[in-house]
């Protein structure tokens, strides 16, 4: 194991936030990292929740406008249905990339008994894309590229790692990598210099940024400072699993009100009114409820 980064300017951890458990939806437990008071957003990211749901809990019918949600199942399965008639189930290792655009109303509910776990990321859209038509990209676990080398395995949900690229189209340029490092392994991952990036640790513990940094355990979100890339070391006796997420900042005002994220307060009021009155993208919301 080498003790130094391959980067002349490695990205170091500039902020560390513990995602504490809180209630959300109908009886669901989430650990929110981005989106909590001490880390309200990290442009272009608005929220990251690690969710833990057992039936009958879930996320019943609710609207969205102005951003994208990315749901990645770590355990179990969730069925999603929306007011446009789209319905689908994502299982362990599957991803749903939903562009809410001008408006969607949907439900997200667990399938079958037991505990269902995953990560949901909210990615902002630029003002020119906030009112586009909704769309979905759903990827099955077996269709998502994976690479393994020297004790490091990575699943490439978006972006590129170890020379392998994801086919996902990201309107806001984004990387989303799920790493597992065996004990004693290390990895050095380039990240575009102009992007913001962070890590969320799913299990185990690792040293991030520099090999002599204090190891950080699960359920922590680590914001990375500027530099060329991330260096990580697993010095423990157990596997380390974390996601590395990065994206190009949009650099526009963010006004967030519940499930709506726009650029101005008046656009938020308009979104709320459109939803209440069923117009400008929410036409179907008045007649629809999930089954």
């Amino acid at each position: 194991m080498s003790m130094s980064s391959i980067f002349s300017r490695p990205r170091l951890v500039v902020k560390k936030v513990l995602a504490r458990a809180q209630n959300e939806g109908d009886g669901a437990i989430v650990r929110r990292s981005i989106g909590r008071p001490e880390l309200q957003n990290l442009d272009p990211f608005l929220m990251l929740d690690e969710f833990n749901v057992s039936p009958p809990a879930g996320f019943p019918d609710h609207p969205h406008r102005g951003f994208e949600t990315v749901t990645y199942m770590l355990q179990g399965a969730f069925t999603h249905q929306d007011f446009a008639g789209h319905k689908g189930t994502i299982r362990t290792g599957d991803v749903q990339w939903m562009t809410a655009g001008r408006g969607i109303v949907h439900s997200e509910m667990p399938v079958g008994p037991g505990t269902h776990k995953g990560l949901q990321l909210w990615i902002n859209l630029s003002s020119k894309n906030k009112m586009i038509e909704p769309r979905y990209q759903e990827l099955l676990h077996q269709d998502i590229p994976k690479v393994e080398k020297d004790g490091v395995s990575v699943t490439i949900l978006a972006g590129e790692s170890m020379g392998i690229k994801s086919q996902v189209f990201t309107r806001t340029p984004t990387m989303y990598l799920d790493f597992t490092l065996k004990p004693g392994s290390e990895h050095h991952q380039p990240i575009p210099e102009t992007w913001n990036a962070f890590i969320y640790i799913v299990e185990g513990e690792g040293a991030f940024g520099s090999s002599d940094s204090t190891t950080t355990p699960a359920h922590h979100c680590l914001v990375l400072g500027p530099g060329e890339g991330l260096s990580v070391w697993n010095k423990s006796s157990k596997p380390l699993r974390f996601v590395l997420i990065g994206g190009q900042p949009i650099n526009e005002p963010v006004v967030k009100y519940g499930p709506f994220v726009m650029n101005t307060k008046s656009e938020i009021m308009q979104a709320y009114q459109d939803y209440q009155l069923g117009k400008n993208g929410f036409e179907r919301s008045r007649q629809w409820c999930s089954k």
Side-chain angles (χ1 to χ4, degrees), residues 10-23:
R11 283 179 176 248
L12 303 177
V13 175
V14 293
K15 188 164 193 167
K16 180 166 149 178
V17 175
L18 173 61
R20 299 176 194 279
Q22 64 185 65
N23 292 308

Side-chain angles (χ1 to χ4, degrees), residues 71-193:
T71 309
Y72 181 34
M73 290 305 294
L74 301 177
Q75 178 186 315
F78 252 65
T79 289
H80 156 280
Q81 44 180 314
D82 76 17
F83 69 174
H86 181 97
K87 187 173 179 180
T89 299
I90 51 171
R91 303 182 186 280
T92 305
D94 298 350
V95 177
Q96 183 203 61
W97 206 288
M98 180 185 88
T99 305
R102 60 200 299 242
I104 205 99
V105 179
H106 71 164
S107 66
E108 300 159 289
M109 300 299 283
V111 181
T115 304
H116 305 260
K117 293 180 186 174
L119 297 173
Q120 189 172 86
L121 177 69
W122 289 14
I123 307 176
N124 204 5
L125 289 168
S126 64
S127 52
K128 68 175 189 291
N129 285 326
K130 281 190 180 292
M131 296 297 281
I132 59 177
E133 287 299 317
R135 68 188 290 261
Y136 292 93
Q137 297 174 86
E138 279 164 339
L139 302 163
L140 299 174
H141 175 67
Q142 62 263 28
D143 299 331
I144 302 171
K146 296 164 196 66
V147 195
E148 192 164 345
K149 191 180 167 191
D150 301 333
V152 177
S153 59
V154 59
T155 302
I156 304 156
L157 282 64
E160 184 178 345
S161 186
M162 300 193 201
I164 306 292
K165 272 189 172 125
S166 157
Q167 297 309 304
V168 168
F169 169 68
T170 62
R171 231 164 250 287
T172 302
T174 307
M175 66 193 305
Y176 192 149
L177 306 171
D178 175 9
F179 284 102
T180 300
L181 272 67
K182 288 183 176 159
S185 64
E186 64 185 271
H187 184 65
H188 305 275
Q189 173 64 44
I191 300 167
E193 294 219 22

Side-chain angles (χ1 to χ4, degrees), residues 13 15-20 32-34 36-39 199-200 216-223:
V13 175
K15 188 164 193 167
K16 180 166 149 178
V17 175
L18 173 61
R20 299 176 194 279
R32 182 160 298 165
S33 48
I34 294 175
R36 51 186 307 118
E38 57 269 46
L39 187 57
I199 288 148
Y200 185 75
T216 308
H219 311 304
H220 278 87
C221 175
L222 304 176
V223 178

